Amino acid sequence: MSASWSTSLLTDMYELTMVEAALAHGTAHRRSVFELFGRRLPAARRFGVVAGTGRLLEALERFEFTKDDIDYLHNNKVVNEQTLEFLKDFKFQGNIWGYREGDVYFANSPLLTVEGTFAEACLLETMLLSVLNHDCAVASAASRMTIAAHGRPCLDMGARRTHERAGVSAARAAFIGGFVGTSDLEAGKRYGLPTIGTSAHSFTLLHETEEEAFKAQVDTLGPGTTLLVDTFDIPKGVETAVRVAREAGGELGAVRIDSGDLVAQAFKVRGQLDALGAKDTKITVTSDLDEYAIAALGAAPVDSYGVGTKLVTGSGIPTAALVYKLVEREGVEGYMEGVAKRSKSKSTIAGRKWAARAFDEDGYAVEERLYVGNREDFKDAIVAGDEDELTLRPLQIKLVEEGNIDRTWYGPQALLRAAEYHQKVRNQLPYAAWRLSEGEPAVETRVVPLASAAKPN
Amino acid sequence: MSASWSTSLLTDMYELTMVEAALAHGTAHRRSVFELFGRRLPAARRFGVVAGTGRLLEALERFEFTKDDIDYLHNNKVVNEQTLEFLKDFKFQGNIWGYREGDVYFANSPLLTVEGTFAEACLLETMLLSVLNHDCAVASAASRMTIAAHGRPCLDMGARRTHERAGVSAARAAFIGGFVGTSDLEAGKRYGLPTIGTSAHSFTLLHETEEEAFKAQVDTLGPGTTLLVDTFDIPKGVETAVRVAREAGGELGAVRIDSGDLVAQAFKVRGQLDALGAKDTKITVTSDLDEYAIAALGAAPVDSYGVGTKLVTGSGIPTAALVYKLVEREGVEGYMEGVAKRSKSKSTIAGRKWAARAFDEDGYAVEERLYVGNREDFKDAIVAGDEDELTLRPLQIKLVEEGNIDRTWYGPQALLRAAEYHQKVRNQLPYAAWRLSEGEPAVETRVVPLASAAKPN
């Protein structure tokens, strides 16, 4: 009844039955290339943020079918004996390329490219999509919020508004998007994130008076703590808070406001704090913040933002709508062939894509280019340079080589680098990327066929 | 770096720092009553569905601070030594009452009532909210979808669209809301849910022709399988699918359509299947379905619905917006006192609430009543009956008594009962509950003070 250690069953059943059919038919071992991408940016977002790469590499290390898993599949007749034999020994032996965690992405950007046999690339589909669909959605929302915050710290307080394990991953994704701390202790423990916290209304209500509650908190946590001042009456709360901190021998660290008109309240509270001489006491606001509310608070005297619901639910876009599609596979004669489906409104572009971002002379991104063909031709194209004298930066790195995971790309250090990298690449986007309004992607995607493009099936 | 076995750190840091301050101040052990509820139903929903109760009881069993957890808290100076000592031995010893899993709820319905010391009830806050906010959101969406489906089976295919662990819980919540199967194998293993699956476009594209792919699948999985017919051209796909199944000696089980105008396609495909004599071959549709799309397909010849994104993201409402508030606590003289905050637009109702649903003579729910006071008075009120001759059904059961979890309420049998119970209580709701349009809750909530209502603080 407890959660599996292995990640292999975090998988749609049809991945296994497809492998079963392909094994029986002799096509399971055909070399294949799958790409993970979004057909378009969701709901008029200007850019997406790549997050989850470190998590999926960790999950890949535990992607094995334990005896317990095999027993379940056997007892429930999910697949036949031949397939169970295959799964027992399964370990992904292929390659995975991907955008760097923290990078931005646009329509059709191949966030991941998985090379392997059909069977092994197929088995990873659900897990890869789950991790990236969630984490990219949260990181993309976080990035918009930190843009709106204009350098004021944003803090994740969303654990309670989402699935308990998703909250841990959301804290990590938010950090990539520029958040500087999280309330979630498991995220602190697991990913080395700074943890933060203030106090709840229940703590005030536990005590006979607000003053007693403030004293209890200040006596224990010191005057530098953050007191929640809106349980009863804000002006009275602020006055008490400042006084209690001073009685304890210091100046109050901060007050938190969690209700009412935050813009008006912030001005009033700042005025009151200043009048009381508490000029260094900061103001943190919470209460259903999203990027728009944060932007609206831009001119208000607020020092930091605590964000919950809208962060962990992707601010209206809880999933990044990424898909995982076969783009090339080995034909009967052993050559790779580009493949694509032609379903209405869901057609795909055949052939493996190599991505590069083109920058103008001022260093701003102007185009996302997807070169279709082999890697040698791609390298030649990059080295040859661009006819419009744009600078080209290849975007994909090798995350997994013949099943060996490059550990450079996960762990706390990789997470720090991803957050830094995101700041860097975001600064290279044109101004349109920073707009919160709905609109076109900040950077257009262009598909460029190379001479070596796999012949279409 | 791997996920903790314990659930105790799935917790906001401030829960621990509040406990620290309360321990130091001598108020941590005050008897307290917290309620978990929604101030209103989200975005004009007609009713909510209680889901997650079984999961939170499981999580509660593992809510302990392991040496690893304590080391993390110590090394990162999250709380002081006194608090660490308290946490080391922590085990919840209080009571938890709650609505039955599968029940419906309305504004202010106390889905959970936690009785214990302040410290122990405070520590559970984040975990309880995370589990119920997620699971209730998904189950509520699922219930609307199964209403719209009018008895046609709905199948969860959403794992890839949400966090990998949230997907497992979403499958479970969907089952409570009336779904009959899931694609998620971990959900099958962990909760005993029926697993289902068809095939992906990549499987078709792996093969030289659609026909070869269909043969591979039918040869292995039998003619009763579901073939995906929209990779290239639907009429051709359907013709090939039926023929391949017959060549294998049977009639095709089903076809899946995953793109285009599903209503029009369903009629065309049904007509084609019938013309081919494949009258028993079923049609399953997928592709961004939600309750509205399902309702629109009501008159179309569709046999089942595969739902992904909109199910696991709560169909526009990814979190149930439930909160956890202190409503009573022991005063300095040892009596329980009702407490409430008065924050703008976030005020709460003081005092512990006992819930009953009132039914008219036809057996339809007409009112959700929250009696404020002690249990004896509540029982008297129920036994005395209603002045309007309504039938009253108490809604809360004891899930945990002095720390002992009632295992009746979790595990696969409890899950089956929850799904059945949901069908029963949903059928007792007035017609308005079944409407998909936004509007008022199907049942009003009324607060009824009893003589014993705890005196307000």
Side-chain angles (χ1 to χ4, degrees):
Chain A
M1 287 290 293
S2 69
S4 294
W5 170 86
S6 62
T7 56
S8 60
L9 293 190
L10 298 167
T11 296
D12 289 327
M13 187 176 96
Y14 81 170
E15 318 285 11
L16 272 63
T17 53
M18 285 191 283
V19 167
E20 175 176 340
L23 281 170
H25 200 69
T27 45
H29 299 289
R30 285 189 175 182
R31 281 180 296 143
S32 299
V33 181
F34 281 80
E35 286 176 350
L36 191 151
F37 60 93
R39 291 192 184 91
R40 62 199 74 83
L41 290 178
R45 284 279 165 88
R46 307 298 186 143
F47 62 93
V49 179
V50 180
T53 317
R55 287 214 309 118
L56 71 86
L57 295 178
E58 271 192 76
L60 183 60
E61 284 212 297
R62 291 185 283 128
F63 198 94
E64 56 185 65
F65 293 85
T66 63
K67 179 169 185 312
D68 207 34
D69 298 334
I70 295 290
D71 286 349
Y72 162 73
L73 297 172
H74 173 76
N75 294 339
N76 290 274
K77 299 184 174 49
V78 175
V79 285
N80 64 14
E81 284 302 320
Q82 180 188 19
T83 312
L84 290 177
E85 282 304 314
F86 175 82
L87 297 178
K88 263 181 205 169
D89 301 322
F90 179 77
K91 186 180 174 314
F92 179 75
Q93 304 283 357
N95 304 320
I96 302 181
W97 297 75
Y99 274 39
R100 277 184 62 169
E101 191 163 21
D103 203 348
V104 295
Y105 70 89
F106 303 95
N108 290 305
S109 296
L111 273 65
L112 290 181
T113 307
V114 179
E115 305 170 323
T117 65
F118 174 78
E120 65 186 349
C122 176
L123 286 176
L124 299 188
E125 175 174 23
T126 312
M127 186 272 283
L128 298 179
L129 283 171
S130 292
V131 171
L132 289 185
N133 267 325
H134 175 268
D135 290 14
C136 292
V138 174
S140 298
S143 185
R144 286 164 61 84
M145 291 170 182
T146 58
I147 284 173
H150 272 287
R152 290 176 178 170
C154 291
L155 306 164
D156 160 39
M157 300 179 175
R160 64 187 53 197
R161 303 294 181 211
T162 186
H163 186 274
E164 67 278 14
R165 299 285 172 189
V168 181
S169 307
R172 182 185 179 283
F175 187 75
I176 292 170
F179 275 55
V180 296
T182 176
S183 63
D184 192 295
L185 289 168
E186 180 73 15
K189 180 182 172 203
R190 189 157 182 194
Y191 299 117
L193 297 177
T195 57
I196 50 86
T198 62
S199 187
H201 297 101
S202 64
F203 185 79
T204 298
L205 295 171
L206 170 68
H207 297 88
E208 298 304 306
T209 62
E210 189 176 53
E211 177 166 352
E212 188 196 336
F214 287 176
K215 277 187 178 156
Q217 186 175 335
V218 168
D219 285 350
T220 314
L221 307 179
T225 192
T226 300
L227 292 173
L228 176 61
V229 293
D230 71 345
T231 305
F232 304 112
D233 175 72
I234 294 179
K236 194 167 168 305
V238 170
E239 184 274 323
T240 309
V242 170
R243 181 167 46 77
V244 166
R246 287 179 180 163
E247 285 167 10
E251 200 70 320
L252 181 63
V255 295
R256 173 162 80 104
I257 313 171
D258 181 50
S259 54
D261 177 342
L262 297 177
V263 174
Q265 292 297 351
F267 278 105
K268 282 188 205 167
V269 169
R270 182 74 265 158
Q272 187 183 0
L273 287 170
D274 290 349
L276 291 167
K279 294 192 186 293
D280 293 334
T281 300
K282 296 191 184 308
I283 299 175
T284 188
V285 292
T286 56
S287 190
D288 288 335
L289 295 180
D290 61 10
E291 60 268 48
Y292 306 105
I294 291 171
L297 284 157
V302 168
D303 298 286
S304 64
Y305 302 103
V307 191
T309 303
K310 290 297 176 70
L311 171 66
V312 297
T313 59
S315 199
I317 303 174
T319 182
L322 301 167
V323 296
Y324 184 79
K325 298 293 168 189
L326 183 67
V327 295
E328 283 186 21
R329 54 104 181 110
E330 190 178 354
V332 280
E333 288 163 17
Y335 298 108
M336 295 302 280
E337 297 175 338
V339 293
K341 64 171 175 162
R342 296 195 292 268
S343 314
K344 274 181 194 162
S345 80
K346 287 186 170 181
S347 61
T348 48
I349 304 164
R352 186 231 175 88
K353 286 138 214 111
W354 297 96
R357 194 164 296 148
F359 296 89
D360 65 17
E361 57 193 6
D362 296 324
Y364 286 101
V366 293
E367 195 173 75
E368 194 88 337
R369 282 198 201 157
L370 307 182
Y371 294 87
V372 182
N374 71 29
R375 181 150 177 85
E376 289 311 310
D377 279 4
F378 171 66
K379 287 195 283 193
D380 288 344
I382 296 294
V383 171
D386 180 78
E387 57 199 21
D388 298 325
E389 299 189 4
L390 297 170
T391 308
L392 292 168
R393 182 203 297 158
L395 299 173
Q396 292 145 303
I397 54 174
K398 208 169 205 173
L399 299 164
V400 179
E401 180 154 15
E402 295 183 5
N404 296 308
I405 298 165
D406 186 343
R407 291 184 163 232
T408 317
W409 303 109
Y410 79 79
Q413 289 308 312
L415 180 56
L416 284 172
R417 280 203 312 278
E420 284 168 16
Y421 193 66
H422 179 60
Q423 292 300 312
K424 181 182 152 186
V425 296
R426 194 171 79 177
N427 285 330
Q428 296 169 334
L429 294 179
Y431 175 72
W434 294 66
R435 294 173 65 179
L436 299 180
S437 61
E438 298 196 350
E440 296 300 309
V443 170
E444 288 282 312
T445 303
R446 183 155 67 98
V447 176
V448 183
L450 295 166
S452 55
K455 82 174 171 70
N457 170 240
Chain B
M1 287 289 295
S2 69
S4 294
W5 170 86
S6 63
T7 56
S8 59
L9 292 190
L10 297 168
T11 296
D12 288 328
M13 187 176 96
Y14 82 170
E15 317 286 10
L16 272 63
T17 54
M18 285 192 282
V19 167
E20 175 176 339
L23 282 170
H25 200 69
T27 46
H29 299 289
R30 285 189 176 182
R31 281 180 295 141
S32 300
V33 182
F34 282 80
E35 287 176 350
L36 192 152
F37 60 94
R39 290 192 185 91
R40 62 199 74 84
L41 290 178
R45 284 280 165 88
R46 307 298 185 146
F47 63 92
V49 179
V50 180
T53 317
R55 287 214 310 119
L56 70 86
L57 295 178
E58 271 192 75
L60 183 60
E61 284 212 297
R62 291 184 285 128
F63 198 94
E64 57 184 66
F65 294 84
T66 62
K67 180 170 182 314
D68 206 34
D69 299 333
I70 295 289
D71 287 348
Y72 163 73
L73 297 172
H74 174 77
N75 294 338
N76 290 273
K77 299 182 175 49
V78 175
V79 285
N80 64 15
E81 284 302 320
Q82 181 188 19
T83 312
L84 290 178
E85 283 303 313
F86 174 81
L87 297 178
K88 263 181 204 169
D89 302 323
F90 178 77
K91 187 180 174 313
F92 180 75
Q93 303 284 357
N95 304 320
I96 302 180
W97 297 74
Y99 274 40
R100 277 184 63 169
E101 192 162 21
D103 203 349
V104 295
Y105 69 89
F106 304 95
N108 291 305
S109 297
L111 274 64
L112 291 181
T113 306
V114 179
E115 305 171 323
T117 65
F118 174 79
E120 65 187 348
C122 177
L123 286 176
L124 299 189
E125 175 174 23
T126 312
M127 186 274 282
L128 298 178
L129 283 171
S130 291
V131 171
L132 288 186
N133 267 325
H134 175 267
D135 290 15
C136 292
V138 174
S140 298
S143 185
R144 285 163 62 84
M145 291 169 182
T146 57
I147 283 173
H150 273 286
R152 290 176 179 170
C154 291
L155 306 164
D156 160 39
M157 300 179 176
R160 64 186 54 198
R161 303 294 181 211
T162 186
H163 185 275
E164 66 279 14
R165 299 284 172 189
V168 181
S169 306
R172 182 184 179 284
F175 187 75
I176 292 170
F179 275 55
V180 296
T182 177
S183 63
D184 192 294
L185 290 168
E186 179 72 15
K189 180 183 172 202
R190 190 158 181 194
Y191 298 117
L193 298 176
T195 57
I196 50 85
T198 62
S199 187
H201 297 100
S202 64
F203 185 79
T204 298
L205 294 172
L206 170 67
H207 296 88
E208 298 305 305
T209 61
E210 190 176 54
E211 177 166 352
E212 188 196 336
F214 287 177
K215 277 187 179 158
Q217 186 175 335
V218 168
D219 285 350
T220 314
L221 307 179
T225 192
T226 300
L227 292 173
L228 176 60
V229 293
D230 71 344
T231 305
F232 304 111
D233 175 72
I234 294 179
K236 193 167 167 307
V238 170
E239 183 274 322
T240 308
V242 170
R243 180 166 46 77
V244 165
R246 287 180 179 163
E247 284 167 10
E251 200 70 321
L252 182 63
V255 296
R256 172 162 80 105
I257 313 171
D258 180 50
S259 55
D261 176 342
L262 297 177
V263 174
Q265 292 296 352
F267 277 105
K268 282 188 207 169
V269 169
R270 184 73 265 159
Q272 186 183 1
L273 287 170
D274 290 350
L276 290 167
K279 294 190 185 296
D280 293 334
T281 300
K282 296 192 185 307
I283 299 175
T284 189
V285 292
T286 55
S287 191
D288 288 334
L289 295 180
D290 61 11
E291 60 269 48
Y292 306 105
I294 291 171
L297 283 157
V302 169
D303 297 285
S304 65
Y305 302 101
V307 191
T309 302
K310 290 298 176 70
L311 171 67
V312 297
T313 59
S315 199
I317 303 174
T319 181
L322 301 167
V323 296
Y324 184 80
K325 297 295 168 189
L326 183 68
V327 295
E328 282 186 21
R329 54 105 180 108
E330 189 178 355
V332 280
E333 288 163 17
Y335 299 107
M336 294 302 280
E337 297 175 339
V339 293
K341 64 171 176 163
R342 296 196 290 269
S343 314
K344 275 182 194 162
S345 80
K346 287 185 170 182
S347 61
T348 49
I349 303 164
R352 186 231 175 85
K353 286 138 215 109
W354 297 97
R357 193 164 296 148
F359 296 88
D360 66 17
E361 58 192 5
D362 296 324
Y364 287 100
V366 293
E367 195 172 73
E368 194 88 337
R369 281 197 202 160
L370 307 183
Y371 293 86
V372 182
N374 70 28
R375 182 150 176 86
E376 288 312 309
D377 279 6
F378 171 66
K379 286 195 284 192
D380 288 344
I382 295 294
V383 170
D386 180 79
E387 58 199 18
D388 298 325
E389 299 189 6
L390 297 171
T391 308
L392 293 168
R393 182 203 298 160
L395 299 174
Q396 291 145 304
I397 54 173
K398 209 169 205 173
L399 300 165
V400 179
E401 180 153 16
E402 295 182 4
N404 295 308
I405 297 164
D406 186 344
R407 291 184 163 232
T408 317
W409 304 108
Y410 78 79
Q413 289 307 314
L415 181 55
L416 283 172
R417 281 203 310 279
E420 284 167 15
Y421 193 66
H422 179 61
Q423 292 300 312
K424 180 182 154 186
V425 296
R426 194 171 80 178
N427 285 331
Q428 296 168 334
L429 294 180
Y431 176 72
W434 295 67
R435 294 173 65 179
L436 299 180
S437 60
E438 298 196 350
E440 296 300 309
V443 170
E444 289 282 313
T445 303
R446 184 156 67 99
V447 176
V448 183
L450 295 167
S452 55
K455 83 175 170 69
N457 169 239

